[in-house]
Amino acid sequence: KNRLITIIVLTTIAWLIDLEAPPILNPSLRRPDRETINGKQQGQRALLNHLEDFPDAKIKTTEAISLLHRAIILDEAAASSNTSKFNEEEHAIFLISFGESAANSSFLERSILAIRRRGDFDGPVAVLTDAPGVRYEGLFDENVAIVRPKEVDTQMKFHFDVVRYKRFKTLLLDYLDLVPAFNNVKWVYYMDLDILMARPFVNLISGLDRTYHYQHSTSSSNLFFFRSCSKNYYANSGFFIMNRNTSRPCLKLWQDELESNSDRYMDQYSLNRVFRNIENEERVRRRVSSCHLHVMEHENYLAFVKTNEDMIDMMKTPENYPSLIHPFNSAVGDLDVDLYEEFVAGVVGLTEVEKRETNLASVAEMRPSKTFLS
C-alpha cells in the first residue's frame, strides 16, 4: 500500500512540475535549456528531497528511478551554470565508431547525449567513423564533426580487424586537423564509445588538472591515462588526454609498437610496451625520454561496472556517480540485460518517452528507430 501511494505521489509531482522533457527526436541532443533549469530548480530539489524519504523506491520503482535522475540532471546542470565556465572551444572530445556492429547500434548517439546532457558540455566533439554517410546525417548539433578515415589507413592489414580500428587512436590529432572549425582546440580527450559521462565535464577536467597538472606540464610530449584494472597493464586506453601541440611523439611511439605487434588483439599490449620501453630508457640507460606517459588514479573520476551489484549500488546513490562510468568489457556478457539497460537509461537521464520511443538504452546491436532518425 505504501509503495502504491509513493508511486502515485511521485507521478503527480512529475506531472505538476512538467518533468517529462520532449523526446530527443529534434535537431539537437542537448541538456535542458537554462530557462527550464532556473524555472524548475525549486521543484526538482523538492522532488529529490521527497525521494530521500523513500530509499526503497530508488531501486524498486522504475518511475522513481527516472524521476530521481531527471531531478539530479537539472540540479547539476544548474550548479554547473553557476560555476566559472572554462573555454569550451579549447577542449574537444574525440570518439571512434568503426565497423558494422557500431553502425548498427545506438552507442554513438547515447555517448553524445550523455556528453551534452550529463556532461553539460556544448564544446567540440569529433567522431571518426567509417559508417555510411547517411547514417549520422543531420542527427547531431553543429558542434559535432563527422570525420572520415583516409583510405590508406583503412587498408592496413592486421591479424584482427579490431586492431586496425584501434590504431586510429594514435592518429586522432592528425584527423582533428581535418576539421577547420576546431582550430582553437588545445586539449583532446579520447573516450571509448561505451564510456558514459555521468557528471559535468568541467568538474572532470578541472579536478584532473588540479591533481595531475596536465594543462601545465612542461614535458616535451605527454599522454595521460587512467590506471588499468589489470595488474598486467600500466594503463587503460579507453580514456586518455592529449595536448594537440605536443602529444604526437608519444602517439607515434604507440603507433609503431601497435604496428609491429599486429597479431595482438588489444591495443593496451602495445601501450604497455611503450611504458616499459620508456621505463627502460630512463632507469637502465639513464636517459630522459622525449615522451612521458602519466597514469591517473580512478578516485571519483572513473568507475568500472563489473557486476550487477555494481550497478545496483550506483543506482542507489546516483548523486555520487563518478565523472565517467565504463562497463568492464570482459564482464558485460555476465550482466543482467534488463538491469543494465535500466542502469544506462538512468545514467544518461532518459525520460520515459525516450526509453519508449528510442533504443538509446539498448545493449543490442540494432539501428535506432525510424522515429529517432526522423
Side-chain angles (χ1 to χ4, degrees), residues 6-21 43-51 57-58 61-75 118 318 342 345-346 349-352 355:
T6 300
I7 295 174
I8 294 173
V9 170
L10 293 173
T11 305
T12 303
I13 293 175
W15 177 76
L16 288 174
I17 62 177
D18 189 29
L19 249 180
E20 188 75 2
Q44 303 304 325
R45 178 47 57 187
L47 174 62
L48 189 57
N49 291 338
H50 180 80
L51 284 170
K58 290 183 182 179
T61 306
T62 300
E63 185 70 10
I65 295 172
S66 178
L67 299 185
L68 174 63
H69 284 277
R70 294 296 296 164
I72 291 173
I73 288 171
L74 292 176
D75 193 53
R118 295 309 304 265
E342 188 61 42
L350 299 182
T351 66
E352 291 301 312
K355 285 192 286 186

Side-chain angles (χ1 to χ4, degrees), residues 246-257:
T246 64
S247 290
R248 280 181 171 85
C250 286
L251 291 172
K252 185 62 169 64
L253 291 177
W254 188 8
Q255 177 188 341
D256 291 344
E257 282 294 338

Side-chain angles (χ1 to χ4, degrees), residues 236-253:
N236 181 280
S237 61
F239 176 95
F240 58 92
I241 305 174
M242 296 163 276
N243 180 311
R244 183 175 192 169
N245 294 323
T246 64
S247 290
R248 280 181 171 85
C250 286
L251 291 172
K252 185 62 169 64
L253 291 177

Side-chain angles (χ1 to χ4, degrees), residues 265-327:
Y265 183 78
M266 295 180 64
D267 58 322
Q268 289 181 182
Y269 174 83
S270 300
L271 178 61
N272 210 49
R273 287 184 60 88
V274 177
F275 268 98
R276 288 180 176 175
N277 291 343
I278 292 175
E279 188 177 74
N280 181 66
E281 183 175 3
E282 294 187 341
R283 292 187 180 182
V284 179
R285 299 181 182 179
R286 299 184 183 279
R287 291 164 50 185
V288 177
S289 173
S290 59
C291 168
H292 291 82
L293 303 183
H294 305 262
V295 177
M296 305 179 293
E297 302 301 332
H298 297 179
E299 301 183 37
N300 62 330
Y301 303 122
L302 173 68
F304 285 87
V305 173
K306 301 180 182 179
T307 66
N308 294 326
E309 288 70 26
D310 289 343
M311 293 188 288
I312 292 173
D313 288 343
M314 288 189 194
M315 291 168 76
K316 289 178 180 178
T317 55
E319 64 274 16
N320 295 329
Y321 279 159
S323 296
L324 304 171
I325 297 177
H326 193 343

Side-chain angles (χ1 to χ4, degrees), residues 193-209:
L193 272 190
D194 55 349
I195 294 179
L196 295 175
M197 192 170 291
R199 302 297 290 271
F201 186 52
V202 63
N203 296 349
L204 171 66
I205 65 173
S206 60
L208 291 177
D209 190 44

